[in-house]
Amino acid sequence: MLSLASSFVYALLTDRVLLVDFDDSMSGLFCEPFPDDATWLLPGDFTFKGRSNGEKFRGVYSLGNLLEKSEKKHDEEIAVQATALLYLYLSGDNNYDMLFYRDDTQKLLTNVPWLVLRSDQHFVPYFFVMPGFRAELDRLFPDKEAVFQHVGRYLFSPTNRVWGRVARFYDTYLAKAEQRIGLQVRVFYPDKTPASLMLPHILRCMQVVSGILPRLQQNETSPTSSATRSRTLKAVLVASLLEEFYTELKDMYWMRPAADDAAVGVYQTSHEGWQETGNGAHNVKALVDIYLLSMCDVLVTSHFSTFGYVAHSLAGLRPWYLQNPGDYEAKRNEPACVRAVSPEPCFHFHPYYDTNSANHGDAAGGGPAPVIMNCEDYEWGFKLANLKY
């Protein structure tokens, strides 16, 4: 979803038509975003459909390979302008394909009819430091902290299969709550950060650092509580591949009353155990969780998680990022989570040339205002923000 939204923005900037090549696991997730009989699906009889993953395809049509072999700019112009199709591999490797993010390369691509783009990154932020795109981007997105929200809400419309599950779960468990709290936990390395280590870390974030969740009373019953008295109702939605976080939180707030006497309900739609890439049913459950999280009032999400990025960016919320507990003893004095400055997703693996212009603006000198900052959860990444200096 992040790379598809970025590709759509690129299509707008370069006056191209966006077509997508969904595999079977992606079918049935999204409605057609464009009106009437228009479709964004690549025609089934397209010459290169299903072949763009192959090494041979990359070797023959790769922009990076072409630029690497060209020693002079004149040679580059001839080689690029003579082809009808180029393959752009923008999936994080710092290779010659990263020259895609230069204005002179974009000029070379102007006359290439077909661009096949492959990425797993949210690469929109870097467009804002490309002089050739900046003016148009400022017109399209005056609010730099709502870029993905606007694009995502326009481009992604869940099918009835997905939205039906979202609506039923929301109406049953979340709708009546006075505060809806979303917790998304992604454990990247279970051996290093097991649930037994993560849970205290989560509680430190939600009860101590952010104060999102109330602490517990020492006694199992509260003398001031009453089954008939009206209390503040808080609903916690746990989105995780694992069941442990949901079970532990649910049992905690069932066994003992909250210190502020609030009623806290904890819910989870599913716990798959592990990520099943390429499984359509698994993707449906993931998308349901993303949209339910985006309906919450406050969010706590895992650092470096693209799943969490989509949820809080669609919501337009500044989340609390769970830091990686790592060596718990060594990090005992560090905050368990940090508040995001901007709701925008992080571009993890950006080009490593000209990074100075991405970190600093020239607003004082009459140039464009700075809108790029290092990500709160990944210091090497870039993200968009409404910065004030």
Side-chain angles (χ1 to χ4, degrees):
M1 292 175 72
L2 294 174
S3 58
L4 188 53
S6 298
S7 301
F8 179 64
V9 173
Y10 180 68
L12 292 176
L13 294 171
T14 57
D15 196 26
R16 291 181 178 271
V17 174
L18 174 69
L19 295 173
V20 295
D21 186 10
F22 283 153
D23 60 25
D24 291 341
S25 68
M26 292 291 292
S27 62
L29 294 180
F30 301 110
C31 300
E32 292 279 2
F34 306 120
D36 302 323
D37 295 327
T39 179
W40 65 345
L41 298 178
L42 191 69
D45 58 353
F46 182 68
T47 305
F48 298 99
K49 183 175 176 64
R51 292 170 55 190
S52 61
N53 293 340
E55 290 297 324
K56 183 178 180 180
F57 184 94
R58 288 181 58 185
V60 174
Y61 297 100
S62 167
L63 170 67
N65 287 352
L66 185 150
L67 295 177
E68 186 176 8
K69 294 175 182 177
S70 302
E71 296 181 358
K72 297 180 181 180
K73 186 175 182 180
H74 180 65
D75 293 334
E76 292 175 358
E77 291 177 354
I78 294 175
V80 171
Q81 294 177 3
T83 184
L85 181 146
L86 281 175
Y87 179 70
L88 312 176
Y89 184 70
L90 307 179
S91 286
D93 297 335
N94 193 32
N95 51 30
Y96 275 84
D97 283 281
M98 290 293 139
L99 296 175
F100 166 82
Y101 296 102
R102 295 179 54 151
D103 278 342
D104 53 356
T105 304
Q106 288 301 316
K107 291 178 182 178
L108 298 179
L109 296 177
T110 301
N111 295 320
V112 180
W114 288 90
L115 298 178
V116 179
L117 190 153
R118 181 176 177 83
S119 177
D120 59 0
Q121 294 289 303
H122 175 67
F123 50 89
V124 164
Y126 214 85
F127 292 158
F128 282 81
V129 297
M130 297 172 65
F133 289 155
R134 181 61 189 270
E136 181 65 16
L137 286 167
D138 285 343
R139 285 191 289 268
L140 287 170
F141 307 109
D143 183 356
K144 304 307 184 285
E145 296 184 1
V147 174
F148 186 87
Q149 184 183 45
H150 287 314
V151 174
R153 290 187 175 187
Y154 172 78
L155 198 62
F156 304 118
S157 299
T159 60
N160 290 342
R161 179 188 181 192
V162 175
W163 193 249
R165 297 189 189 188
V166 172
R168 287 189 294 273
F169 191 94
Y170 182 89
D171 290 343
T172 303
Y173 301 108
L174 306 180
K176 296 181 181 179
E178 294 169 75
Q179 185 183 39
R180 287 168 284 275
I181 301 167
L183 169 63
Q184 180 258 337
V185 186
R186 175 62 190 232
V187 180
F188 291 100
Y189 305 104
D191 294 339
K192 295 182 179 179
T193 53
S196 59
L197 178 63
M198 282 297 300
L199 187 63
H201 193 69
I202 291 169
L203 292 177
R204 204 152 54 99
C205 167
M206 300 187 75
Q207 292 182 331
V208 180
V209 179
S210 66
I212 294 170
L213 281 180
R215 301 193 189 195
L216 299 177
Q217 295 186 23
Q218 294 301 315
N219 299 322
E220 291 192 13
T221 58
S222 171
T224 60
S225 64
S226 169
T228 59
R229 189 171 64 84
S230 176
R231 293 187 291 169
T232 301
L233 176 60
K234 298 185 178 186
V236 181
L237 171 67
V238 179
S240 177
L241 292 170
L242 305 178
E243 183 181 13
E244 290 90 332
F245 308 112
Y246 156 71
T247 302
E248 291 291 333
L249 286 173
K250 176 176 67 69
D251 289 347
M252 279 176 46
Y253 285 101
W254 177 56
M255 296 297 292
R256 291 189 177 184
D260 63 357
D261 212 28
V264 180
V266 183
Y267 311 100
Q268 185 177 36
T269 65
S270 63
H271 37 269
E272 298 289 275
W274 56 83
Q275 183 170 326
E276 298 182 40
T277 303
N279 184 318
H282 182 81
N283 286 346
V284 168
K285 293 177 182 179
L287 193 57
V288 167
D289 272 348
I290 285 175
Y291 276 97
L292 285 170
L293 286 170
S294 75
M295 296 175 178
C296 292
D297 303 306
V298 61
L299 287 173
V300 176
T301 64
S302 294
H303 81 292
F304 204 75
S305 172
T306 53
F307 187 104
Y309 291 165
V310 175
H312 67 65
S313 298
L314 283 175
L317 291 175
R318 295 189 300 121
W320 290 86
Y321 285 128
L322 281 170
Q323 301 290 68
N324 184 3
D327 183 352
Y328 183 76
E329 292 300 325
K331 297 188 176 184
R332 182 179 293 274
N333 295 323
E334 295 183 14
C337 55
V338 295
R339 186 75 185 275
V341 173
S342 162
E344 284 292 294
C346 181
F347 182 11
H348 288 154
F349 305 116
H350 54 78
Y352 285 99
Y353 59 82
D354 199 25
T355 53
N356 188 59
S357 68
N359 282 310
H360 304 284
D362 190 30
V371 296
I372 297 293
M373 61 172 285
N374 292 104
C375 303
E376 304 91 345
D377 61 323
Y378 182 65
E379 61 180 343
W380 302 109
F382 286 167
K383 70 184 296 184
L384 291 168
N386 295 322
L387 300 177
K388 297 179 181 179
Y389 290 105

